[in-house]
Amino acid sequence: MRLLIKLTHRYRTLQLPIDMNTFLLGYIYHTLEKGSPTFSAELHQSGEFKHFTFSMLQSLDPNHRWVLDKERGSIRTTSRQIGFYISSPNEEFITTLITGFLSHSKMELAGVFFGLDTVQVIDPPVFQERMSFTMLSPLFLSERLNGAKHQTHLTPESANFEQALLLSLIRKYESLLNRPFLKVNSDTKTSLRFVLPEKRPKSIVRLVTLKTEHAAPIHNRCTFTPFELHAPTELIQIGYESGFGVKCSQGFGMVAVKGSSE
């Protein structure tokens, strides 16, 4: 299930830090705690996959987009309405989140105050084995090579990118449903193809920094580009609802179907 959270503000020009993931994640957990302290605590303590993802903060007025200010490390817009998407296949997560939203109508992000306008439910697409997507937040993948001290960040140019993406989707499927992923036809090897568009930006790699309160910032080399995916329908649905790649619950790997209103 997917929600669009619409926010309003009173500033003539809204200015925020470039990297908003940490602030949005904090707001999500704060809202979950309002809805159910027990569920929020259990989610905090759960394993690798928390089965939700969220988008970057968006200007919802097409005539007033974000303007990047690299020198100040900020983004700004004159749009009076902004918002973000959040998605999860876990029904309890969504219902707890909605309950939390109903309990308070104001919020703070990076020292800026917003009013909660509406929470809109987004109809799911028809899932198929071949679909085209745009990214609502960058996709992050990594792997640890034998004997390596640090993770290697993967991009579509990496030899193991498709295999790593496939394995991450299968692991999410098995974690969510608590059963192994098996093809209906066991003679057919499960495969995945990640196809980049012929016309794409010169650079599809984006460096995203996650700021933490008690540790050094974490830099993530991510992919940000439209793409076409060929994979089993069940895995495409898991990716759409839980996010593609890893660190999805930190604001990575959220997509929209190409041509949709998202």
Side-chain angles (χ1 to χ4, degrees):
M1 195 176 202
R2 180 165 292 200
L3 304 174
L4 170 58
I5 315 304
K6 296 182 180 181
L7 307 171
T8 58
H9 65 88
R10 59 181 177 81
Y11 306 95
R12 181 171 295 179
T13 299
L14 175 65
Q15 185 163 314
L16 294 167
I18 292 175
D19 300 310
M20 289 292 296
N21 295 53
T22 304
F23 298 106
L24 287 171
L25 182 59
Y27 173 59
I28 290 168
Y29 272 109
H30 174 73
T31 304
L32 287 170
E33 187 174 11
K34 290 281 187 180
S36 170
T38 301
F39 178 81
S40 178
E42 290 174 350
L43 186 66
H44 251 303
Q45 298 166 8
S46 62
E48 179 182 1
F49 300 116
K50 301 185 187 300
H51 296 295
F52 75 90
T53 186
F54 58 93
S55 73
M56 298 181 295
L57 204 57
Q58 301 185 6
S59 166
L60 300 180
D61 184 341
N63 298 315
H64 299 272
R65 296 300 188 185
W66 289 110
V67 177
L68 176 63
D69 187 336
K70 288 186 177 180
E71 291 186 3
R72 296 185 178 182
S74 65
I75 50 177
R76 66 178 186 273
T77 182
T78 54
S79 173
R80 283 303 183 91
Q81 190 174 68
I82 62 171
F84 66 99
Y85 292 91
I86 184 164
S87 175
S88 175
N90 184 341
E91 185 176 341
E92 185 178 5
F93 175 92
I94 295 294
T95 55
T96 302
L97 198 64
I98 292 175
T99 300
F101 282 131
L102 293 175
S103 70
H104 62 105
S105 59
K106 295 181 180 180
M107 62 172 289
E108 179 186 351
L109 289 174
V112 178
F113 291 92
F114 298 90
L116 177 62
D117 187 7
T118 57
V119 177
Q120 178 182 342
V121 177
I122 305 299
D123 292 331
V126 176
F127 295 103
Q128 305 173 45
E129 292 186 348
R130 178 176 177 176
M131 297 184 73
S132 295
F133 297 104
T134 57
M135 290 185 177
L136 298 178
S137 60
L139 187 157
F140 178 71
L141 267 178
S142 65
E143 66 175 357
R144 190 184 301 277
L145 302 177
N146 291 335
K149 184 178 180 180
H150 301 290
Q151 294 274 354
T152 298
H153 296 188
L154 303 177
T155 67
E157 289 77 21
S158 305
N160 295 336
F161 181 84
E162 290 184 336
Q163 182 65 14
L165 184 59
L166 173 62
L167 290 177
S168 71
L169 289 171
I170 290 175
R171 291 178 64 205
K172 285 177 190 175
Y173 177 95
E174 294 178 342
S175 168
L176 178 68
L177 300 178
N178 197 28
R179 65 170 184 258
F181 176 77
L182 299 173
K183 289 282 289 182
V184 175
N185 181 357
S186 59
D187 296 330
T188 302
K189 183 180 179 181
T190 302
S191 62
L192 176 147
R193 283 186 63 215
F194 184 96
V195 183
L196 294 172
E198 292 184 6
K199 295 182 179 180
R200 58 181 182 269
K202 291 182 180 179
S203 176
I204 63 171
V205 176
R206 176 179 294 189
L207 192 66
V208 178
T209 301
L210 292 180
K211 297 180 180 179
T212 58
E213 186 176 353
H214 303 292
I218 301 171
H219 303 292
N220 303 273
R221 193 164 178 258
C222 304
T223 301
F224 196 80
T225 178
F227 66 96
E228 183 177 278
L229 193 66
H230 303 207
T233 305
E234 305 96 318
L235 297 184
I236 288 183
Q237 181 173 352
I238 278 287
Y240 177 86
E241 294 178 339
S242 291
F244 288 97
V246 299
K247 294 188 177 181
C248 297
S249 62
Q250 296 180 54
F252 292 94
M254 191 175 206
V255 302
V257 176
K258 187 177 180 180
S260 69
S261 59
E262 295 177 69

PDB file of all heavy atoms in Angstrom, residues 141-154 158-161 163-164 167:
ATOM      1  N   LEU A 141      22.777  -0.225  -3.805  1.00  0.00           N
ATOM      2  CA  LEU A 141      23.133  -1.642  -3.721  1.00  0.00           C
ATOM      3  C   LEU A 141      24.597  -1.750  -3.328  1.00  0.00           C
ATOM      4  O   LEU A 141      25.428  -0.928  -3.747  1.00  0.00           O
ATOM      5  CB  LEU A 141      22.939  -2.339  -5.067  1.00  0.00           C
ATOM      6  CG  LEU A 141      21.605  -3.032  -5.357  1.00  0.00           C
ATOM      7  CD1 LEU A 141      21.637  -3.611  -6.767  1.00  0.00           C
ATOM      8  CD2 LEU A 141      21.296  -4.123  -4.350  1.00  0.00           C
ATOM      9  N   SER A 142      24.933  -2.783  -2.570  1.00  0.00           N
ATOM     10  CA  SER A 142      26.330  -3.003  -2.213  1.00  0.00           C
ATOM     11  C   SER A 142      26.564  -4.487  -1.991  1.00  0.00           C
ATOM     12  O   SER A 142      25.627  -5.273  -1.828  1.00  0.00           O
ATOM     13  CB  SER A 142      26.701  -2.219  -0.952  1.00  0.00           C
ATOM     14  OG  SER A 142      25.976  -2.717   0.169  1.00  0.00           O
ATOM     15  N   GLU A 143      27.824  -4.856  -2.024  1.00  0.00           N
ATOM     16  CA  GLU A 143      28.206  -6.226  -1.710  1.00  0.00           C
ATOM     17  C   GLU A 143      29.577  -6.217  -1.043  1.00  0.00           C
ATOM     18  O   GLU A 143      30.376  -5.305  -1.254  1.00  0.00           O
ATOM     19  CB  GLU A 143      28.240  -7.097  -2.975  1.00  0.00           C
ATOM     20  CG  GLU A 143      29.320  -6.709  -3.959  1.00  0.00           C
ATOM     21  CD  GLU A 143      29.418  -7.647  -5.147  1.00  0.00           C
ATOM     22  OE1 GLU A 143      28.670  -8.640  -5.171  1.00  0.00           O
ATOM     23  OE2 GLU A 143      30.234  -7.388  -6.043  1.00  0.00           O
ATOM     24  N   ARG A 144      29.827  -7.220  -0.251  1.00  0.00           N
ATOM     25  CA  ARG A 144      31.127  -7.356   0.395  1.00  0.00           C
ATOM     26  C   ARG A 144      31.878  -8.501  -0.273  1.00  0.00           C
ATOM     27  O   ARG A 144      31.465  -9.654  -0.198  1.00  0.00           O
ATOM     28  CB  ARG A 144      30.981  -7.619   1.892  1.00  0.00           C
ATOM     29  CG  ARG A 144      32.315  -7.517   2.648  1.00  0.00           C
ATOM     30  CD  ARG A 144      32.136  -7.881   4.126  1.00  0.00           C
ATOM     31  NE  ARG A 144      31.190  -7.037   4.788  1.00  0.00           N
ATOM     32  CZ  ARG A 144      31.482  -5.834   5.296  1.00  0.00           C
ATOM     33  NH1 ARG A 144      32.700  -5.353   5.174  1.00  0.00           N
ATOM     34  NH2 ARG A 144      30.554  -5.121   5.893  1.00  0.00           N
ATOM     35  N   LEU A 145      32.981  -8.185  -0.942  1.00  0.00           N
ATOM     36  CA  LEU A 145      33.793  -9.205  -1.595  1.00  0.00           C
ATOM     37  C   LEU A 145      34.570 -10.001  -0.553  1.00  0.00           C
ATOM     38  O   LEU A 145      34.812  -9.530   0.563  1.00  0.00           O
ATOM     39  CB  LEU A 145      34.749  -8.548  -2.596  1.00  0.00           C
ATOM     40  CG  LEU A 145      34.075  -7.714  -3.699  1.00  0.00           C
ATOM     41  CD1 LEU A 145      35.117  -7.048  -4.584  1.00  0.00           C
ATOM     42  CD2 LEU A 145      33.148  -8.586  -4.535  1.00  0.00           C
ATOM     43  N   ASN A 146      34.951 -11.202  -0.914  1.00  0.00           N
ATOM     44  CA  ASN A 146      35.667 -12.074   0.021  1.00  0.00           C
ATOM     45  C   ASN A 146      36.916 -11.382   0.569  1.00  0.00           C
ATOM     46  O   ASN A 146      37.776 -10.945  -0.193  1.00  0.00           O
ATOM     47  CB  ASN A 146      36.068 -13.374  -0.680  1.00  0.00           C
ATOM     48  CG  ASN A 146      34.855 -14.236  -1.006  1.00  0.00           C
ATOM     49  OD1 ASN A 146      33.823 -14.119  -0.349  1.00  0.00           O
ATOM     50  ND2 ASN A 146      34.975 -15.089  -2.000  1.00  0.00           N
ATOM     51  N   GLY A 147      36.976 -11.294   1.883  1.00  0.00           N
ATOM     52  CA  GLY A 147      38.145 -10.724   2.516  1.00  0.00           C
ATOM     53  C   GLY A 147      38.170  -9.211   2.562  1.00  0.00           C
ATOM     54  O   GLY A 147      39.077  -8.630   3.162  1.00  0.00           O
ATOM     55  N   ALA A 148      37.195  -8.569   1.935  1.00  0.00           N
ATOM     56  CA  ALA A 148      37.186  -7.098   1.906  1.00  0.00           C
ATOM     57  C   ALA A 148      36.714  -6.542   3.236  1.00  0.00           C
ATOM     58  O   ALA A 148      35.818  -7.092   3.881  1.00  0.00           O
ATOM     59  CB  ALA A 148      36.293  -6.598   0.779  1.00  0.00           C
ATOM     60  N   LYS A 149      37.303  -5.420   3.639  1.00  0.00           N
ATOM     61  CA  LYS A 149      36.932  -4.795   4.899  1.00  0.00           C
ATOM     62  C   LYS A 149      35.652  -3.985   4.759  1.00  0.00           C
ATOM     63  O   LYS A 149      34.832  -3.923   5.680  1.00  0.00           O
ATOM     64  CB  LYS A 149      38.072  -3.887   5.373  1.00  0.00           C
ATOM     65  CG  LYS A 149      37.831  -3.248   6.735  1.00  0.00           C
ATOM     66  CD  LYS A 149      39.025  -2.405   7.159  1.00  0.00           C
ATOM     67  CE  LYS A 149      38.783  -1.764   8.523  1.00  0.00           C
ATOM     68  NZ  LYS A 149      39.933  -0.927   8.961  1.00  0.00           N
ATOM     69  N   HIS A 150      35.458  -3.362   3.577  1.00  0.00           N
ATOM     70  CA  HIS A 150      34.312  -2.496   3.366  1.00  0.00           C
ATOM     71  C   HIS A 150      33.428  -3.015   2.233  1.00  0.00           C
ATOM     72  O   HIS A 150      33.876  -3.775   1.373  1.00  0.00           O
ATOM     73  CB  HIS A 150      34.780  -1.069   3.040  1.00  0.00           C
ATOM     74  CG  HIS A 150      35.624  -0.450   4.109  1.00  0.00           C
ATOM     75  ND1 HIS A 150      35.116  -0.070   5.332  1.00  0.00           N
ATOM     76  CD2 HIS A 150      36.948  -0.147   4.140  1.00  0.00           C
ATOM     77  CE1 HIS A 150      36.077   0.448   6.074  1.00  0.00           C
ATOM     78  NE2 HIS A 150      37.206   0.408   5.377  1.00  0.00           N
ATOM     79  N   GLN A 151      32.186  -2.566   2.250  1.00  0.00           N
ATOM     80  CA  GLN A 151      31.242  -2.895   1.194  1.00  0.00           C
ATOM     81  C   GLN A 151      31.625  -2.172  -0.096  1.00  0.00           C
ATOM     82  O   GLN A 151      32.123  -1.051  -0.069  1.00  0.00           O
ATOM     83  CB  GLN A 151      29.823  -2.476   1.596  1.00  0.00           C
ATOM     84  CG  GLN A 151      29.246  -3.231   2.775  1.00  0.00           C
ATOM     85  CD  GLN A 151      28.573  -4.530   2.362  1.00  0.00           C
ATOM     86  OE1 GLN A 151      28.431  -4.817   1.185  1.00  0.00           O
ATOM     87  NE2 GLN A 151      28.147  -5.294   3.340  1.00  0.00           N
ATOM     88  N   THR A 152      31.391  -2.822  -1.237  1.00  0.00           N
ATOM     89  CA  THR A 152      31.561  -2.196  -2.541  1.00  0.00           C
ATOM     90  C   THR A 152      30.203  -1.700  -3.020  1.00  0.00           C
ATOM     91  O   THR A 152      29.243  -2.477  -3.069  1.00  0.00           O
ATOM     92  CB  THR A 152      32.121  -3.194  -3.571  1.00  0.00           C
ATOM     93  OG1 THR A 152      33.408  -3.634  -3.132  1.00  0.00           O
ATOM     94  CG2 THR A 152      32.242  -2.560  -4.941  1.00  0.00           C
ATOM     95  N   HIS A 153      30.099  -0.415  -3.336  1.00  0.00           N
ATOM     96  CA  HIS A 153      28.845   0.141  -3.815  1.00  0.00           C
ATOM     97  C   HIS A 153      28.681  -0.194  -5.291  1.00  0.00           C
ATOM     98  O   HIS A 153      29.604  -0.001  -6.093  1.00  0.00           O
ATOM     99  CB  HIS A 153      28.817   1.658  -3.605  1.00  0.00           C
ATOM    100  CG  HIS A 153      28.861   2.049  -2.160  1.00  0.00           C
ATOM    101  ND1 HIS A 153      28.678   3.341  -1.721  1.00  0.00           N
ATOM    102  CD2 HIS A 153      29.054   1.312  -1.031  1.00  0.00           C
ATOM    103  CE1 HIS A 153      28.760   3.387  -0.402  1.00  0.00           C
ATOM    104  NE2 HIS A 153      28.997   2.169   0.031  1.00  0.00           N
ATOM    105  N   LEU A 154      27.504  -0.683  -5.656  1.00  0.00           N
ATOM    106  CA  LEU A 154      27.257  -1.153  -7.013  1.00  0.00           C
ATOM    107  C   LEU A 154      26.401  -0.175  -7.807  1.00  0.00           C
ATOM    108  O   LEU A 154      25.467   0.435  -7.266  1.00  0.00           O
ATOM    109  CB  LEU A 154      26.558  -2.515  -6.982  1.00  0.00           C
ATOM    110  CG  LEU A 154      27.264  -3.640  -6.219  1.00  0.00           C
ATOM    111  CD1 LEU A 154      26.405  -4.901  -6.232  1.00  0.00           C
ATOM    112  CD2 LEU A 154      28.636  -3.923  -6.813  1.00  0.00           C
ATOM    113  N   SER A 158      28.295  -2.107 -12.817  1.00  0.00           N
ATOM    114  CA  SER A 158      28.991  -3.166 -12.070  1.00  0.00           C
ATOM    115  C   SER A 158      28.564  -4.539 -12.586  1.00  0.00           C
ATOM    116  O   SER A 158      27.393  -4.776 -12.898  1.00  0.00           O
ATOM    117  CB  SER A 158      28.673  -3.063 -10.579  1.00  0.00           C
ATOM    118  OG  SER A 158      28.975  -1.776 -10.074  1.00  0.00           O
ATOM    119  N   ALA A 159      29.511  -5.458 -12.639  1.00  0.00           N
ATOM    120  CA  ALA A 159      29.241  -6.795 -13.182  1.00  0.00           C
ATOM    121  C   ALA A 159      28.174  -7.536 -12.376  1.00  0.00           C
ATOM    122  O   ALA A 159      27.373  -8.296 -12.933  1.00  0.00           O
ATOM    123  CB  ALA A 159      30.538  -7.606 -13.215  1.00  0.00           C
ATOM    124  N   ASN A 160      28.135  -7.331 -11.072  1.00  0.00           N
ATOM    125  CA  ASN A 160      27.219  -8.088 -10.207  1.00  0.00           C
ATOM    126  C   ASN A 160      25.945  -7.325  -9.864  1.00  0.00           C
ATOM    127  O   ASN A 160      25.196  -7.746  -8.977  1.00  0.00           O
ATOM    128  CB  ASN A 160      27.932  -8.463  -8.910  1.00  0.00           C
ATOM    129  CG  ASN A 160      29.084  -9.415  -9.136  1.00  0.00           C
ATOM    130  OD1 ASN A 160      29.115 -10.143 -10.139  1.00  0.00           O
ATOM    131  ND2 ASN A 160      30.042  -9.423  -8.226  1.00  0.00           N
ATOM    132  N   PHE A 161      25.671  -6.216 -10.542  1.00  0.00           N
ATOM    133  CA  PHE A 161      24.533  -5.373 -10.169  1.00  0.00           C
ATOM    134  C   PHE A 161      23.205  -6.123 -10.274  1.00  0.00           C
ATOM    135  O   PHE A 161      22.415  -6.147  -9.315  1.00  0.00           O
ATOM    136  CB  PHE A 161      24.493  -4.127 -11.058  1.00  0.00           C
ATOM    137  CG  PHE A 161      23.360  -3.184 -10.742  1.00  0.00           C
ATOM    138  CD1 PHE A 161      23.479  -2.234  -9.739  1.00  0.00           C
ATOM    139  CD2 PHE A 161      22.159  -3.240 -11.456  1.00  0.00           C
ATOM    140  CE1 PHE A 161      22.432  -1.364  -9.443  1.00  0.00           C
ATOM    141  CE2 PHE A 161      21.116  -2.386 -11.173  1.00  0.00           C
ATOM    142  CZ  PHE A 161      21.246  -1.442 -10.161  1.00  0.00           C
ATOM    143  N   GLN A 163      22.549  -9.355 -10.435  1.00  0.00           N
ATOM    144  CA  GLN A 163      22.466 -10.484  -9.524  1.00  0.00           C
ATOM    145  C   GLN A 163      22.222 -10.019  -8.094  1.00  0.00           C
ATOM    146  O   GLN A 163      21.416 -10.611  -7.362  1.00  0.00           O
ATOM    147  CB  GLN A 163      23.756 -11.308  -9.596  1.00  0.00           C
ATOM    148  CG  GLN A 163      23.770 -12.559  -8.725  1.00  0.00           C
ATOM    149  CD  GLN A 163      22.736 -13.605  -9.144  1.00  0.00           C
ATOM    150  OE1 GLN A 163      22.177 -13.532 -10.240  1.00  0.00           O
ATOM    151  NE2 GLN A 163      22.477 -14.567  -8.269  1.00  0.00           N
ATOM    152  N   ALA A 164      22.881  -8.938  -7.688  1.00  0.00           N
ATOM    153  CA  ALA A 164      22.685  -8.409  -6.335  1.00  0.00           C
ATOM    154  C   ALA A 164      21.268  -7.875  -6.156  1.00  0.00           C
ATOM    155  O   ALA A 164      20.653  -8.046  -5.099  1.00  0.00           O
ATOM    156  CB  ALA A 164      23.711  -7.312  -6.044  1.00  0.00           C
ATOM    157  N   LEU A 167      18.917 -10.940  -5.840  1.00  0.00           N
ATOM    158  CA  LEU A 167      19.030 -11.596  -4.532  1.00  0.00           C
ATOM    159  C   LEU A 167      18.380 -10.757  -3.435  1.00  0.00           C
ATOM    160  O   LEU A 167      17.758 -11.303  -2.515  1.00  0.00           O
ATOM    161  CB  LEU A 167      20.501 -11.856  -4.207  1.00  0.00           C
ATOM    162  CG  LEU A 167      21.184 -12.934  -5.045  1.00  0.00           C
ATOM    163  CD1 LEU A 167      22.661 -13.048  -4.688  1.00  0.00           C
ATOM    164  CD2 LEU A 167      20.495 -14.285  -4.868  1.00  0.00           C
TER     165      LEU A 167
END
